[in-house]
């Protein structure tokens, strides 16, 4: 039997929490929603009460503070817990700041349940997941780069990068190319390495410094 994933949902909208919990549990029986919190204070109390939390699905907009404040608390109390931010704030600079603070993934709040499930699986496998908004930057950065990207990447990596830029998820690319999702994630890692980026944050910072993104 596959190991279950114990999740805490942190969002100030009860209906959103309920709908998300129902959708995820119907889609992936491995997921256990072990706690819900509607405020920063309540989330900290749940962290203290629960023995183990594998993953926190975190909204940033909470009535008593910014959800990002929970990151530092988790690092002290439960450093092994992974954090996937679900937010309507898609400002790349804010995402970079959250990456620096230690989040494991970021996804838009308006995604379908299928992509949220994919993001959870990726994060729990130790791979960062930052959704379509970030992957779309790959094509913009490559277009603006000084070197000829086509000479740096293999034909398959170029194909994967193009599909990422079109907004396709890793699972969608894997199905299109008849490859495993893990293989696609490997190609994405090689793309970043060859382009000189250690992580998503460096990619975004490059985009800002070269005028590819506005401030």
């Amino acid at each position: 039997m596959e190991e279950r994933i114990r999740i805490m949902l942190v969002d100030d909208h009860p209906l959103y929490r309920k709908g998300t919990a129902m959708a995820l549990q119907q889609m992936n029986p491995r997921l256990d929603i072990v706690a819900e919190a509607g405020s920063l204070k309540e989330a900290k109390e749940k962290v203290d009460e629960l023995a183990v939390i594998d993953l926190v699905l975190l909204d940033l907009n909470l009535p008593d503070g910014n959800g990002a404040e929970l990151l530092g608390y988790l690092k002290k109390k439960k450093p092994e817990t992974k954090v996937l931010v679900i937010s309507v704030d898609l400002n790349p600079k804010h995402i970079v700041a959250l990456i620096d603070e230690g989040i494991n993934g970021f996804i838009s709040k308006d995604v379908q349940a299928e992509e949220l499930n994919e993001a959870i699986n990726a994060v729990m496998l130790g791979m960062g997941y930052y959704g379509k908004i970030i992957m779309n930057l790959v094509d913009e950065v490559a277009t603006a780069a000084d070197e000829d990207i086509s000479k740096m990447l293999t034909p398959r990596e170029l194909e994967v990068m193009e599909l990422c830029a079109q907004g396709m998820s890793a699972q969608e690319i894997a199905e299109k190319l008849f490859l495993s999702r893990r293989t696609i994630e490997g190609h994405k890692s090689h793309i970043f390495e060859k382009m000189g980026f250690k992580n998503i944050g460096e990619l975004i910072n490059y985009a800002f410094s070269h005028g590819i993104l506005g401030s």
Side-chain angles (χ1 to χ4, degrees):
M1 179 181 291
E2 291 185 295
E3 187 175 353
R4 305 186 75 78
I5 300 172
R6 290 153 291 195
I7 295 175
M8 179 169 74
L9 276 171
V10 181
D11 190 286
D12 63 340
H13 292 92
L15 287 178
Y16 178 83
R17 296 199 307 268
K18 182 176 181 180
T20 300
M22 290 178 61
L24 287 177
Q25 290 176 320
Q26 289 175 1
M27 182 178 303
N28 189 341
R30 293 179 59 210
L31 305 182
D32 279 339
I33 310 302
V34 296
E36 295 183 18
S39 68
L40 184 60
K41 179 178 181 294
E42 187 178 4
K44 289 181 178 180
E45 291 173 351
K46 297 292 184 181
V47 170
D48 292 338
E49 291 172 5
L50 295 168
V52 179
I53 304 172
D54 297 313
L55 174 68
V56 173
L57 299 182
L58 176 63
D59 184 19
L60 299 176
N61 298 315
L62 299 174
D64 56 345
N66 191 312
E69 295 178 41
L70 188 62
L71 294 175
Y73 196 77
L74 281 166
K75 284 183 180 180
K76 293 179 181 178
K77 298 288 186 174
K78 290 182 170 53
E80 299 302 317
T81 298
K82 299 184 184 299
V83 178
L84 174 61
V85 171
I86 307 175
S87 177
V88 296
D89 180 3
L90 304 183
N91 186 315
K93 281 190 174 180
H94 295 166
I95 298 174
V96 170
L98 289 166
I99 292 171
D100 290 341
E101 291 179 27
I103 66 169
N104 303 97
F106 185 104
I107 196 167
S108 172
K109 202 168 186 178
D110 62 1
V111 299
Q112 297 298 314
E114 291 81 2
E115 186 174 351
L116 177 54
N117 181 51
E118 179 182 350
I120 291 172
N121 289 331
V123 165
M124 294 310 300
L125 287 172
M127 301 180 290
Y129 191 99
Y130 298 94
K132 297 176 181 179
I133 182 175
I134 302 302
M135 291 315 304
N136 286 346
L137 295 178
V138 174
D139 188 54
E140 297 180 55
V141 171
T143 301
D146 297 330
E147 296 185 46
D148 185 356
I149 297 300
S150 64
K151 295 179 181 179
M152 298 169 59
L153 306 180
T154 67
R156 177 65 84 187
E157 288 167 350
L158 284 169
E159 187 175 18
V160 170
M161 187 174 72
E162 181 180 352
L163 294 174
C164 285
Q166 293 174 10
M168 295 181 65
S169 67
Q171 184 61 44
E172 290 170 335
I173 296 172
E175 293 173 358
K176 181 178 179 64
L177 300 182
F178 301 102
L179 298 171
S180 70
R181 187 182 64 194
R182 186 180 292 273
T183 297
I184 299 302
E185 293 289 354
H187 283 311
K188 287 163 60 177
S189 296
H190 293 155
I191 290 169
F192 288 137
E193 181 179 354
K194 290 181 178 181
M195 292 174 68
F197 303 122
K198 295 179 182 178
N199 52 48
I200 296 291
E202 289 190 2
L203 170 62
I204 301 174
N205 283 328
Y206 178 96
F208 275 113
S209 65
H210 287 71
I212 299 168
L213 287 176
S215 58

